[in-house]
């Protein structure tokens, strides 16, 4: 089995195919319900029903390293998968799974929650993180949150995780974004550039951009990294999970192996080479070094890929705060399907990989 890589060049075709997807009213499988007639994980001796799959991802952050490692270090092949890895944008990656242009999306979960609220037949079946990555940074002259009234605050895109988390950050600061301009500027690198050049007065940043901002003299106003927030969710179309349960399990188990491998300090040099390759940066680049140091640290990435309930509820609450009418009917059990992670847990695979560490 092998891996092929595309870094965005085929995304136009995925978008074209994704545009054909229609909003379907369905009842998503959740919390172990097999949906009636659905093949269960473990059937056919556990062999993947679909061995050659396309996986899209939306972030160049080293939080995506488990996907890259699974591709480069042979964990997909170990589990019987041939994987085409496509880099796209989080805003369309989840929707591509509906049309079948992609089989699995690994990326920000906000898009998936929004899609489900619009009756798209998607479900989140696993996750790599359950805590926020965000820190709120402001210009050096900003010492009080009220000074940001009338100012511009950079977000990645309207309605995405950075938008939602920004609103949550100001709520936590006993304020709101009322009277501020939320300016879409793109990814974390673009946002730190907008902040340091004075184009905006504040923005949420993830590592390594947060460290860049600090070194440039920007002030950290709020650290959200201890707050529940679902990041790096594993999203599939409902019909894909029903038809290919062993494939889904094999994919998730590959990521479990990758996280275990990443946390082994004996693999530091090899892991940094993988991150360097996929980020297209020198191995000694500060972004590569900080990315490795951050996500190789136990606790940053989940040993157990079960989507966290508190993190998921934070997403639901945040979206309803953004638009109560649009997300009035959104509930967590419409988004999560725990069938596959439960099968992995019941099989003893997590204990086999992590041993006693899983209990810590």
């Amino acid at each position: 089995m092998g891996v092929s890589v595309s870094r965005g060049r085929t995304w136009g075709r995925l978008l074209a195919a994704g545009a054909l997807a229609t909003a379907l009213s369905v009842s998503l499988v959740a919390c172990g319900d097999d949906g009636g007639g659905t093949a269960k994980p473990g059937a056919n001796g556990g062999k993947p029903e679909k061995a050659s799959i396309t996986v899209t991802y939306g972030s160049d952050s080293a939080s995506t390293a488990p996907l890259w490692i699974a591709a480069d270090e042979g964990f997909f092949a170990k589990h019987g998968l041939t994987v085409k890895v496509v880099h796209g944008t989080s805003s369309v990656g989840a929707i591509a799974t509906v049309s079948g242009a992609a089989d699995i999306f690994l990326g920000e979960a906000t898009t998936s929650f929004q899609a489900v609220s619009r009756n798209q037949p998607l479900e989140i079946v696993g996750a790599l993180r359950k805590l926020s990555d965000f820190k709120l940074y402001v210009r050096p002259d900003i010492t009080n949150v009220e000074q940001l009234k009338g100012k511009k605050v950079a977000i990645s895109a309207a309605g995405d995780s950075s938008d939602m988390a920004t609103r949550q950050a100001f709520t936590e600061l006993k304020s709101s974004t009322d009277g501020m301009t939320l300016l879409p500027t793109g990814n974390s690198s673009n946002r730190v550039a907008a902040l340091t050049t004075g184009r905006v007065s504040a923005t949420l940043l993830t590592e390594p951009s947060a460290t860049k901002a600090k070194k440039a003299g920007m002030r950290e106003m709020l650290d959200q990294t201890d707050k529940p927030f679902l990041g790096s969710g594993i999203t599939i179309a409902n019909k894909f999970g029903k038809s290919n349960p062993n494939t889904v399990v094999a994919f998730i188990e590959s990521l479990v192996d990758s996280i275990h491998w990443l946390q082994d300090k004996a693999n530091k040099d090899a892991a940094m080479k993988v991150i360097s390759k996929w980020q297209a940066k020198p191995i000694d680049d500060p972004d590569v070094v900080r990315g490795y140091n951050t996500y190789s640290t136990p606790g940053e990435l989940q040993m157990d890929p079960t989507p966290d309930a508190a993190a998921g509820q934070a997403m639901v609450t945040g979206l309803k705060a953004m638009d109560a009418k649009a997300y009035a009917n959104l509930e967590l059990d419409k988004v999560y399907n725990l069938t596959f992670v439960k099968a992995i847990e019941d099989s003893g695979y997590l204990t086999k990989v992590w041993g006693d560490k899983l209990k810590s």
Side-chain angles (χ1 to χ4, degrees):
M1 301 294 177
V3 176
S4 64
V5 177
S6 175
R7 297 187 58 79
R9 291 183 177 86
T10 65
W11 199 249
R13 291 195 293 276
L14 291 181
L15 283 173
L20 298 176
T22 57
L24 302 175
S25 296
V26 297
S27 175
L28 292 182
V29 178
C31 300
D33 181 3
D34 69 6
T38 301
K40 294 182 178 180
N44 194 30
K47 182 179 179 181
E49 298 84 2
K50 185 177 182 180
S52 296
I53 61 174
T54 297
V55 177
T56 67
Y57 71 99
S59 174
D60 275 330
S61 163
S63 62
T64 311
L67 176 65
W68 304 335
I69 289 168
D72 287 5
E73 295 298 322
F75 294 116
F76 285 141
K78 169 187 171 183
H79 290 276
L81 296 176
T82 297
V83 180
K84 181 179 181 180
V85 179
V86 180
H87 181 218
T89 60
S90 293
S91 60
V92 296
I95 300 303
T97 65
V98 177
S99 67
D103 299 302
I104 298 174
F105 169 64
L106 177 66
E108 73 158 40
T110 307
T111 305
S112 301
F113 277 79
Q114 291 170 325
V116 171
S117 75
R118 296 191 295 270
N119 295 321
Q120 294 284 353
L122 299 177
E123 54 196 14
I124 291 177
V125 297
L128 302 190
R129 286 184 56 75
K130 61 183 178 181
L131 296 176
S132 174
D133 286 326
F134 291 116
K135 297 178 182 180
L136 179 65
Y137 272 82
V138 299
R139 295 282 302 169
D141 57 313
I142 302 294
T143 59
N144 185 288
V145 66
E146 295 308 312
Q147 291 177 275
L148 291 169
K149 296 297 183 181
K151 304 290 187 181
K152 295 177 180 178
V153 178
I155 60 174
S156 177
D160 77 344
S161 60
S162 69
D163 185 348
M164 181 172 66
T166 295
R167 297 170 193 270
Q168 291 175 326
F170 282 100
T171 297
E172 188 175 345
L173 291 168
K174 311 300 182 183
S175 184
S176 75
T177 56
D178 293 345
M180 303 177 195
T181 299
L182 299 186
L183 184 67
T185 57
N187 63 24
S188 196
S189 295
N190 291 343
R191 297 198 303 275
V192 74
L195 181 65
T196 56
T197 58
R199 184 183 174 198
V200 300
S201 297
T203 190
L204 285 184
L205 297 171
T206 59
E207 293 295 352
S209 294
T211 298
K212 286 183 179 179
K214 184 176 182 179
K215 288 185 176 181
M218 304 298 106
R219 293 185 60 250
E220 181 185 306
M221 181 167 280
L222 180 68
D223 185 343
Q224 292 183 297
T225 57
D226 62 344
K227 304 299 181 184
F229 196 88
L230 192 70
S232 299
I234 302 169
T235 298
I236 63 172
N238 177 263
K239 63 182 180 181
F240 183 82
K242 287 182 177 181
S243 300
N244 304 281
N246 292 337
T247 301
V248 177
V249 166
F251 178 79
I252 297 173
E253 288 182 345
S254 297
L255 297 188
V256 171
D257 288 346
S258 295
I259 294 171
H260 181 262
W261 184 91
L262 177 62
Q263 290 186 9
D264 185 343
K265 296 303 180 182
N267 298 322
K268 178 179 179 179
D269 290 345
M272 289 184 64
K273 286 180 181 178
V274 172
I275 296 171
S276 169
K277 168 191 166 182
W278 287 84
Q279 290 187 333
K281 295 178 180 179
I283 196 168
D284 58 352
D285 186 279
D287 287 0
V288 174
V289 175
R290 280 191 292 265
Y292 168 78
N293 289 337
T294 297
Y295 293 107
S296 65
T297 301
E300 288 295 327
L301 297 171
Q302 295 178 210
M303 291 187 289
D304 180 346
T306 301
D308 184 71
Q313 191 56 52
M315 308 295 284
V316 172
T317 301
L319 287 170
K320 290 186 175 184
M322 287 175 62
D323 192 330
K325 183 177 180 180
Y327 300 109
N329 296 320
L330 180 62
E331 302 297 338
L332 187 58
D333 63 2
K334 295 180 180 179
V335 184
Y336 280 5
N337 178 357
L338 306 185
T339 302
F340 308 100
V341 291
K342 186 177 186 302
I344 293 171
E345 180 181 4
D346 290 348
S347 73
Y349 193 77
L350 296 179
T351 302
K352 177 182 177 182
V353 172
W354 293 104
D356 291 339
K357 290 182 179 180
L358 194 63
K359 302 175 183 179
S360 60

